[in-house]
């Protein structure tokens, strides 16, 4: 069986796959950007694509969205080959690059109207589509504003609205939260959650794993052109050497609190922090889950004022999987 | 202040010296001079005074090069810092305006001076070849030096005033156009009025403006170069003519004045920084009384709509051009009446058609430099290529959008044809019978393609660069063709009356046009994936 036949056999019967990347390699002059990258993304999934700067994220995205041709390996999007079936793919995807790519001298409405017409929608259809995407991105009050006059967060929303104009099945977002303030990030993530609920497949790249942890169903971690991990986000958490860590904040100081917490079922370690009322609790996720742990802690009768996941272990997972060094 | 000036100067010179294009430009200049020498040597047997011919061609070439450098090279001195948002950082670092102006403009002057100095030893060989004296060589180079100073400081002035390099280059272009075109026209009008008018207000006005226009005319490098190249300048070797003419003194004086103006205006023009967003014409605003001129809803050919409204200026610019061209036709009618004492509708029709050919040609050239460049500048090309459309479809619909802007020129061309139907008939007749018509058409097409291709490589100045390359190419091509004809002159009869040559040239340039189309397509694909 030839290499191509083997690839064909692998991809057959994968109708639930939105993106299928196999043995992808790409070189720019003397720099090898990708070296045998393979991963799959299921339909209606929110997939994180994480890696440090220069890992090959943008190159992979450009190969998926047909802007680049693979030098070796294969990319299929909804079973369409990115080399031979470019237009079929482009009709079904929406790509948001990592830089602002907008006609800033247009108004928001003109910008969306232009792309609506470019996708071949009639005037009446365009009116409906623009109304819908503006509502979804919460930009309906700003449709007559010049894009150049909008804040970065607002411009990112307009960019997302543009991506949605042709109602794509797959959204490819390259670092969409880059440069946004915390509020704009949270709002953007809310919009993405809403889109996932609507049945869209979302492929989102980022260099911050913890940013995507709560959002994504699955994740691919890439470093120096090689995939370090690809699979469910939950499984990634279980793979880390450390147990999940939660930060517990009590309303009052208590000398016996640490001992009481250690006695809770599933808790493997309790660490006091510099703040006397704060504790870091590690637990064995195979023994208990977060809800059960919280319920057990409440049963202790201590005045709990805060309980949140401590993100350090995710960042540690990212550091463990990726290599040191300037890229 | 001296420290920061030197630091800026050194930085600019280092950056310039590292650029491959500067090295190539220097190499290209030496190559041009060398080729001119070879040509002059080979042509010695056929032409008299080959040294003068060589020197003349180099002098005029330098003049064109300096003018183009004013549009594309000097005009970005300050605007490039504004566009890259580094001007504020330089000011915060304590760099004073005078240091900034000196540091930024001097490096460019040195680069241009180096290019001139490269040719100087070769130019002296022109004296050996005969027909030109050392006084003429020195006088021309001093004139060119003064002209460089004028152009560099004019560009610096516009660079301080404008937000973007394109604005500065436009300012330089129109100022130089006024400088070269208006004084001769006014001089012509004054002389004609003084000679022909009876005593009256017109004669008084002409008498008033005559010395001014005469003086302005004498400050032009063109006037000065023609004067130096005359044999009378070289012949008076016993009483050598001064290389310091009115042009040299006035150009240096104007350069100093423009530098002072740039300095005085600097703080005021750079106080509020600049916006990264492209400008939008006020009349394009969807609200208010000018709504009729707005962009409205996207057309069924959306790229045509976008490029017509947001690159070519839309209905607003079309209206402005309509009025401007109308005034131009009115001016032709007035001048005809004034100078010829009669009104001939056919003459007016012919003048209108010729003017509109030129206007349309200029408009197309400007658009060729902008049609893709604007997409690259605002990073929108990648997004456009993601549309489910092929590359040729994207490219040609964009071009079609820009062609809409030719509406006013075509309208007046049609009006001219109605006034002079025989001229239009001649034009159509030439299409069929004149094979050189096709050569001209394909050469112009090549120029447009070259401008568009260069705009995909350089951030600004694609049009001046294309004009420069076309002029150099024309000189080379002319030399190469005439050399070939010198060598094969015995078999010239084979080419008949020249039609065969024209057909060969037409095929050659058509091939170049097709090659350029492929080159543009490939470059656009590369840029989409970058």
């Amino acid at each position: 069986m030839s290499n191509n036949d083997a690839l064909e056999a692998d991809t057959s019967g994968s109708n639930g796959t939105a993106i299928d990347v196999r043995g992808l390699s790409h070189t720019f002059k003397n720099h090898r950007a990708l070296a045998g990258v393979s991963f799959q993304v299921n339909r209606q999934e929110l997939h994180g694509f994480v890696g440090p700067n220069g890992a090959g994220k943008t190159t992979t995205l450009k190969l998926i969205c047909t802007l680049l041709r693979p030098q070796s390996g294969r990319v299929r999007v909804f079973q369409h080959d990115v080399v031979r079936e470019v237009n079929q793919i482009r009709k079904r995807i929406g790509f948001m690059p990592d830089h602002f790519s907008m006609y800033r001298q247009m108004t928001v409405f003109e910008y969306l109207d232009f792309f609506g017409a470019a996708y071949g929608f009639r005037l009446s259809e365009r009116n409906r589509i623009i109304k819908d995407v503006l509502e979804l991105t919460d930009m309906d009050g700003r449709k007559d504003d010049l894009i150049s006059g909008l804040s970065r967060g607002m411009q990112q929303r307009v960019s997302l609205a543009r991506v949605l104009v042709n109602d794509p099945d797959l959204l490819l977002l390259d670092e969409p939260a880059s440069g946004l303030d915390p509020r704009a990030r949270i709002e953007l993530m809310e919009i993405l959650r809403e889109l996932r609920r609507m049945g869209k497949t979302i492929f989102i790249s980022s260099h911050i794993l913890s940013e995507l942890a709560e959002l994504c169903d699955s994740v691919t971690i890439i470093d120096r052109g090689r995939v370090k991990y690809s699979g469910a986000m939950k499984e990634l958490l279980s793979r880390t050497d450390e147990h999940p860590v939660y930060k517990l904040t009590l309303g009052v100081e208590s000398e016996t609190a640490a001992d009481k917490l250690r006695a809770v079922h599933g808790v493997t370690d309790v660490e006091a922090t510099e703040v006397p009322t704060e504790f870091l609790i590690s637990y064995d996720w195979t023994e208990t889950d977060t809800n059960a742990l919280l319920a057990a802690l409440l049963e202790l009768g201590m005045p709990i004022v805060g309980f949140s996941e401590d993100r350090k272990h995710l960042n540690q997972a990212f550091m463990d999987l990726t290599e040191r060094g300037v890229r | 202040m001296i420290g920061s000036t030197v630091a800026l100067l050194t930085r600019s010179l280092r950056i310039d010296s590292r650029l491959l294009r500067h090295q190539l430009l220097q190499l290209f200049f030496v190559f041009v001079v060398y080729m001119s020498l070879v040509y002059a040597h080979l042509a010695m047997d056929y032409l008299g005074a080959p040294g003068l011919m060589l020197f003349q061609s180099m002098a005029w070439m330098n003049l064109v090069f300096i003018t183009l450098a004013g549009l594309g090279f000097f005009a970005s001195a300050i605007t490039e810092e504004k566009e890259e948002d580094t001007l504020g950082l330089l000011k915060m670092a304590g760099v004073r305006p005078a240091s900034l102006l000196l540091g930024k403009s001097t490096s460019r002057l040195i680069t241009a001076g180096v290019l001139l100095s490269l040719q100087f030893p070769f130019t002296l060989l022109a004296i050996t070849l005969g027909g030109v004296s050392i006084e003429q060589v020195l006088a021309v180079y001093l004139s060119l030096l003064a002209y460089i100073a004028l152009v560099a400081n004019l560009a610096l002035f516009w660079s301080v005033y404008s937000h973007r390099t394109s604005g500065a280059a436009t300012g330089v272009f129109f100022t130089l156009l006024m400088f070269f075109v208006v004084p001769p026209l006014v001089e012509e009008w004054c002389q004609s009025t003084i000679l022909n008018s009876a005593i009256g207000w017109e004669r008084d006005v002409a008498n008033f403006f005559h010395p001014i226009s005469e003086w302005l005319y004498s400050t032009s490098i063109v006037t000065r170069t023609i004067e130096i190249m005359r044999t009378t300048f070289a012949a008076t070797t016993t009483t050598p003519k001064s290389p310091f003419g009115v042009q040299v003194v006035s150009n240096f004086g104007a350069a100093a004045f423009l530098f002072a103006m740039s300095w005085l205006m600097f703080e005021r023009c750079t106080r509020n920084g600049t916006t990264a967003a492209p400008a939008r014409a006020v009349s394009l605003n969807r609200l208010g009384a000018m709504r009729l001129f707005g962009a409205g809803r996207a057309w069924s050919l959306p790229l045509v709509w976008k490029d017509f409204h947001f690159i070519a200026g839309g209905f607003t610019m079309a209206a402005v051009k309509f009025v401007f061209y109308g005034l131009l036709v009115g001016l032709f009618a007035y001048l005809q009446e004034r100078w010829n004492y009669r009104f001939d509708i056919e003459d007016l029709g012919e003048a209108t058609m010729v003017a509109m050919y030129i206007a349309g040609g200029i408009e197309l050239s400007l658009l060729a430099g902008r049609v893709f460049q604007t997409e690259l500048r605002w990073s929108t090309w990648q997004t456009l290529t993601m549309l489910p459309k092929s590359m040729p479809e994207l490219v040609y619909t964009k071009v079609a959008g820009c062609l809409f802007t030719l509406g006013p020129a075509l309208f007046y061309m049609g009006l001219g044809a109605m006034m002079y139907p025989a001229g239009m008939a001649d034009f159509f007749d030439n299409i069929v019978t004149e094979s050189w018509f096709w050569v001209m058409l394909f050469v112009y097409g090549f120029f447009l393609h070259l401008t568009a291709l260069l705009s995909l490589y350089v951030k600004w100045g694609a049009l001046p660069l294309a004009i420069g390359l076309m002029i150099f190419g024309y000189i080379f091509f002319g030399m190469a063709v005439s050399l070939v004809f010198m060598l094969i002159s015995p078999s010239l009869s084979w080419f008949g009356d020249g039609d065969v040559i024209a057909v060969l040239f037409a095929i050659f340039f058509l091939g170049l046009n097709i090659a350029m189309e492929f080159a543009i397509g490939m470059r656009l694909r590369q840029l989409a994936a970058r």
Side-chain angles (χ1 to χ4, degrees):
Chain A
M1 187 186 279
S2 71
N3 210 17
N4 279 349
D5 291 339
L7 289 175
E8 198 70 54
D10 278 348
T11 52
S12 62
S14 53
N15 288 335
T17 308
I19 303 171
D20 187 12
V21 176
R22 302 274 169 152
L24 200 59
S25 296
H26 207 87
T27 304
F28 296 106
K29 290 183 181 169
N30 296 324
H31 171 64
R32 191 164 198 190
L34 300 175
V37 168
S38 298
F39 64 89
Q40 283 79 42
V41 177
N42 293 327
R43 287 176 194 231
Q44 301 184 358
E45 205 174 65
L46 212 158
H47 187 91
F49 193 55
V50 187
N53 295 329
K57 299 189 298 291
T58 301
T59 305
T60 310
L61 265 164
K62 284 181 179 172
L63 285 158
I64 295 171
C65 73
T66 73
L67 281 172
L68 274 176
R69 278 173 163 238
Q71 288 166 348
S72 73
R74 172 177 288 175
V75 183
R76 283 176 167 267
V77 178
F78 298 118
Q79 309 303 309
H80 296 296
D81 188 274
V82 292
V83 178
R84 286 173 302 186
E85 298 162 292
V86 173
N87 274 356
Q88 285 98 318
I89 292 174
R90 287 185 179 179
K91 280 176 190 167
R92 294 185 67 181
I93 65 172
F95 173 56
M96 196 162 100
D98 60 345
H99 54 268
F100 283 110
S101 168
M102 308 171 101
Y103 298 106
R104 296 184 203 183
Q105 70 274 49
M106 289 186 183
T107 64
V108 174
F109 188 90
E110 283 168 350
Y111 183 67
L112 298 175
D113 192 37
F114 164 67
F115 276 98
Y119 277 105
F121 294 111
R122 289 195 303 273
L123 197 68
S124 57
E125 287 175 306
R126 281 179 353 228
N127 288 337
R128 179 185 55 76
I129 289 166
I130 293 169
K131 184 172 170 288
D132 288 349
V133 295
L134 285 174
E135 264 177 26
L136 185 69
T137 52
D138 201 18
M139 286 295 293
D140 35 1
R142 309 292 298 269
K143 69 184 171 77
D144 288 324
D145 288 11
L146 278 179
I147 292 174
S148 59
L150 298 175
S151 68
R152 199 178 171 87
M154 291 286 181
Q155 288 191 8
Q156 197 71 316
R157 285 184 192 207
V158 177
S159 209
L160 190 61
R162 188 265 302 163
V163 169
L164 295 169
V165 159
N166 63 323
D167 194 20
D169 297 317
L170 170 65
L171 301 178
L172 299 159
L173 314 176
D174 194 2
E175 310 260 7
S178 170
L180 299 185
D181 63 37
R183 172 176 283 275
R185 274 171 191 254
I186 292 165
E187 287 169 352
L188 180 72
M189 296 305 165
E190 278 306 313
I191 295 169
L192 294 181
R193 279 197 190 93
E194 180 60 28
L195 289 167
R196 180 176 55 177
R197 277 194 288 274
M198 291 164 68
K200 306 280 182 202
T201 308
I202 302 170
F203 186 85
I204 177 171
S205 89
S206 174
H207 55 273
I208 307 165
L209 179 61
S210 56
E211 185 179 86
L212 302 179
E214 284 182 10
L215 191 71
C216 293
D217 306 302
S218 56
V219 66
T220 295
I221 296 180
I222 186 172
D223 185 31
R224 302 189 186 210
R226 294 178 192 279
V227 171
K228 300 293 181 177
Y229 173 82
S230 188
M233 180 64 88
K234 201 171 180 179
E235 198 180 320
L236 174 69
L237 299 182
S238 72
R239 274 194 179 194
T240 56
D241 293 332
E242 293 178 37
H243 294 295
V245 178
Y246 273 81
K247 186 161 75 180
L248 178 78
T249 311
L250 299 176
V252 290
E253 278 187 50
S254 166
E255 286 181 3
T256 58
D259 293 333
K260 283 182 184 174
L261 292 171
R262 278 190 195 99
V264 174
H265 173 71
V267 171
T268 55
D269 188 31
V270 176
E271 190 186 327
T273 68
E274 288 174 0
V275 183
T277 54
E278 276 185 8
F279 298 91
L280 294 177
I281 303 172
S282 301
Y283 72 96
D284 187 347
W285 67 276
T286 57
E287 294 279 327
T288 184
D289 62 21
T290 314
N291 290 338
L293 176 70
L294 182 59
L297 293 174
L298 287 168
E299 276 176 18
L300 293 174
M302 292 188 292
I304 296 172
V305 293
F307 182 73
S308 61
E309 192 177 4
D310 187 54
R311 290 281 171 223
K312 276 180 188 168
H313 70 290
L314 266 176
N315 291 336
Q316 188 60 48
F318 181 74
M319 293 295 282
D320 290 344
L321 286 164
T322 56
E323 291 169 34
R324 284 173 189 276
V326 179
R327 290 156 184 92
Chain B
M1 181 187 148
I2 293 170
S4 51
T5 308
V6 172
L8 264 175
L9 177 64
T10 315
R11 171 190 163 232
S12 301
L13 282 174
R14 276 192 186 145
I15 291 171
D16 284 354
S17 62
R18 282 187 204 134
L19 289 173
L20 179 67
R21 64 168 181 261
H22 279 229
Q23 314 295 338
L24 289 173
L25 191 66
Q26 287 179 9
L27 191 71
F28 181 71
F29 251 77
V30 173
F31 182 66
V32 169
V33 174
Y34 182 71
M35 283 301 293
S36 306
L37 266 172
V38 170
Y39 177 71
H41 177 71
L42 291 172
M44 268 175 96
D45 295 340
Y46 304 90
L47 303 164
L52 181 65
M53 189 194 66
L54 166 72
F55 185 59
Q56 270 182 338
S57 64
M58 282 173 62
W60 290 117
M61 202 169 65
N62 281 328
L63 203 153
V64 172
F65 159 72
I66 295 165
T67 309
L68 292 173
L71 301 175
F73 182 57
F74 294 121
S76 65
I78 302 298
T79 46
E80 73 175 10
E81 301 287 351
K82 290 181 187 175
E83 285 170 344
E84 287 170 13
D85 276 337
T86 48
L87 192 61
L89 297 176
L90 287 171
K91 285 164 81 177
M92 279 172 68
V95 181
R96 290 181 180 178
S99 302
L100 200 63
L101 293 172
L102 273 173
K104 292 291 294 180
S105 64
T106 315
S107 67
R108 283 165 159 77
L109 267 172
I110 290 173
T111 308
V114 165
L115 283 174
L116 273 186
S117 64
L118 276 171
Q119 315 161 5
F120 192 70
F122 294 95
T123 317
L124 292 175
L125 285 173
I127 302 166
T128 318
L129 286 165
V132 63
S133 70
I134 183 76
E135 285 78 16
Q136 281 175 301
V137 173
L138 290 174
V140 162
Y141 274 92
L142 194 62
S143 290
L144 287 171
L145 214 59
Y147 183 58
I148 287 187
L150 172 69
V151 170
N153 284 285
L154 176 69
L156 184 71
F157 171 83
W158 280 108
S159 193
V160 168
Y161 180 77
S162 309
H163 288 304
R164 280 181 286 274
T165 307
S166 55
T170 310
V172 175
F173 174 76
F174 281 106
T175 315
L176 287 178
L177 190 76
M178 296 271 283
F179 178 59
F180 284 120
V181 174
V182 173
L185 281 179
V186 174
E187 175 69 5
E188 180 73 27
W189 178 81
C190 289
Q191 281 183 0
S192 134
T193 309
I194 290 166
L195 280 172
N196 301 324
S197 274
I199 295 168
W201 69 270
E202 276 190 323
R203 197 183 169 102
D204 292 340
V205 170
N207 275 325
F208 176 76
F209 278 110
H210 182 54
I212 299 170
S213 64
E214 207 172 39
W215 183 79
L216 278 173
Y217 192 57
S218 66
T219 61
S220 163
I221 177 96
V222 178
T223 316
R224 176 68 176 160
T225 309
I226 292 169
E227 186 191 324
I228 295 169
M229 293 298 175
R230 281 191 190 126
T231 43
T232 48
F233 193 93
T236 54
T237 44
T238 46
T239 51
K241 283 202 173 178
S242 168
F244 295 93
V246 176
Q247 179 264 335
V248 174
V249 177
S250 64
N251 280 198
F252 275 127
F257 173 75
L258 285 164
F259 184 85
M261 286 300 290
S262 308
W263 187 28
L264 288 172
M265 282 169 45
F266 188 83
E267 269 306 319
R268 199 175 159 189
C269 293
T270 58
R271 197 178 296 150
N272 297 322
T274 181
T275 171
R280 179 185 167 108
V282 175
S283 49
L284 274 174
N285 201 319
R286 289 165 58 84
L287 307 170
M290 298 300 280
R291 192 169 178 153
L292 267 179
F293 285 95
R297 298 298 300 269
W299 302 339
S300 55
L301 286 170
L303 277 163
V304 174
W305 169 82
K306 179 183 77 65
D307 282 16
F308 172 64
H309 284 292
F310 297 97
I311 292 182
F315 293 123
T316 314
M317 187 52 76
V320 169
K321 280 190 282 193
F322 193 83
V323 173
F324 178 73
Y325 292 156
L327 288 173
L328 202 64
V329 174
L331 182 70
F332 288 156
Y334 166 77
L335 290 177
Q336 195 185 48
E337 175 74 24
R338 185 74 190 75
W339 285 340
N340 298 344
Y341 298 105
R342 65 186 177 87
F343 179 77
D344 188 322
I345 195 150
E346 288 201 341
D347 282 354
L348 182 63
E350 190 176 11
T352 304
M353 278 199 289
V354 170
M356 290 306 120
Y357 288 139
I358 294 167
I362 292 170
E363 281 189 46
L364 280 177
S365 311
L366 292 171
L367 287 169
R370 294 188 64 198
V371 62
F372 302 121
Q373 232 277 327
T374 44
E375 302 285 356
L376 301 180
R377 184 174 295 163
W378 305 111
S379 310
T380 46
W381 181 241
Q382 201 174 61
T383 312
L384 268 193
T385 52
M386 283 304 298
L387 291 170
K389 294 177 190 299
S390 67
M391 186 61 74
E393 190 182 351
L394 279 178
V395 169
Y396 292 122
T397 42
K398 273 184 72 61
V399 171
C402 290
L403 289 180
F404 265 71
T405 194
L406 292 179
L410 288 173
F411 172 82
Y412 284 105
M413 208 182 281
L415 197 70
M418 282 165 65
M419 289 189 273
Y420 183 44
M424 199 39 121
D426 281 350
F427 175 76
F428 284 115
D429 188 46
N430 285 344
I431 293 175
V432 181
T433 57
E434 279 290 331
S435 32
W436 287 103
F437 169 86
W438 293 101
V439 178
M440 298 275 284
L441 191 71
F442 291 140
V443 168
Y444 180 65
F446 174 72
F447 165 66
L448 294 181
H449 281 101
L450 182 67
T451 308
L453 183 67
L454 288 172
S455 75
L456 303 178
Y457 285 92
V458 296
K459 269 171 46 178
W460 34 260
L463 183 58
L465 192 58
I467 294 171
L469 285 175
M470 287 299 286
I471 290 168
F472 288 130
Y474 175 77
I475 294 167
F476 268 132
F477 196 71
M479 283 179 188
V481 169
S482 50
L483 277 177
V484 168
F485 274 80
M486 282 176 206
L487 294 171
I488 61 161
S489 52
S491 55
L492 264 181
S493 56
W494 187 83
F495 291 101
D497 59 358
D499 274 354
V500 177
I501 299 169
V503 170
L504 287 175
F505 280 178
I507 292 168
F508 174 72
F509 282 107
L510 177 64
L512 280 184
N513 277 291
I514 293 167
M516 292 298 269
E517 296 252 326
F518 280 106
I520 290 169
M522 275 171 62
R523 180 66 183 162
L524 285 171
R525 280 192 186 89
Q526 272 178 10
L527 291 168
R530 184 173 283 181

